Amino acid sequence: MRKLLSILLFLLAGAAVTSSTHSVLRWKQGKDLLLPKGGYGSGFLDGKLILAGGTHWKDDKKLWLDEVVAYDPAGDKWEILTPLPKPLAYGASATHEGVFYFVGGAGPENAERAGYRLRRQDGKYRWEQFTTLPMDRCYSKAAVLKNELFLVGG
């Protein structure tokens, strides 16, 4: 599917969510993705939907990507960000306090044990490795709770 369906979820204002609070779900078709892909990491960073890495098929050949793109729902446009340090797919991703995490996954030859984080520094997005996993992890899920990044499964 070449069209991006963006889900915008808005919670009504309030310090606490109660059973009487309703959320509004609105579907909107956004601008076409620059390159159709799957197996990417995703999350919101600086108000933009980030898609990092993944795979793409061309001429019956699977290609592994280091490409990172960001969709701005307010402007309905895509921009290309700093690529991953290497082509990766099927990693776990999460965002927290201005940082996008991509952990594990696999490249065209091997599984990946590195954990990378993307953040804006001096007006530019930069990747850095922040951890090395003790074992290979593909198809995992990541979440942040109380300032700790959890990696589950894979």
Side-chain angles (χ1 to χ4, degrees):
M1 174 171 19
R2 293 204 57 182
K3 300 286 183 176
L4 168 74
L5 293 179
S6 58
I7 301 172
L8 303 176
L9 177 63
F10 299 97
L11 295 177
L12 298 176
V17 177
T18 66
S19 60
S20 63
T21 302
H22 299 284
S23 50
V24 177
L25 182 64
R26 183 177 60 158
W27 291 87
K28 177 184 173 188
Q29 183 170 322
K31 189 170 182 162
D32 286 354
L33 184 59
L34 300 172
L35 178 70
K37 62 178 104 184
Y40 48 80
S42 63
F44 275 90
L45 181 63
D46 297 334
K48 299 173 184 175
L49 175 62
I50 305 295
L51 303 181
T55 61
H56 172 76
W57 288 86
K58 183 176 181 181
D59 300 326
D60 292 327
K61 183 176 180 184
K62 187 175 191 176
L63 305 173
W64 300 79
L65 306 172
D66 62 358
E67 178 186 77
V68 179
V69 294
Y71 176 72
D72 179 1
D76 190 28
K77 64 180 181 176
W78 289 96
E79 66 178 293
I80 297 173
L81 300 183
T82 305
L84 279 162
K86 61 175 85 171
L88 291 169
Y90 314 119
S93 58
T95 53
H96 181 64
E97 294 184 354
V99 179
F100 174 84
Y101 297 94
F102 189 101
V103 183
E109 302 293 326
N110 300 308
E112 178 64 41
R113 291 188 179 188
Y116 299 99
R117 59 183 165 210
L118 175 70
R119 66 174 114 196
R120 184 184 289 257
Q121 295 174 323
D122 302 323
K124 294 183 179 183
Y125 287 100
R126 300 180 195 275
W127 286 99
E128 66 178 338
Q129 184 176 341
F130 71 96
T131 193
T132 301
L133 301 173
M135 61 187 69
D136 298 344
R137 288 285 181 238
C138 294
Y139 306 106
S140 300
K141 298 299 178 196
V144 177
L145 177 66
K146 296 183 181 180
N147 293 318
E148 291 186 341
L149 178 64
F150 290 83
L151 186 64
V152 181

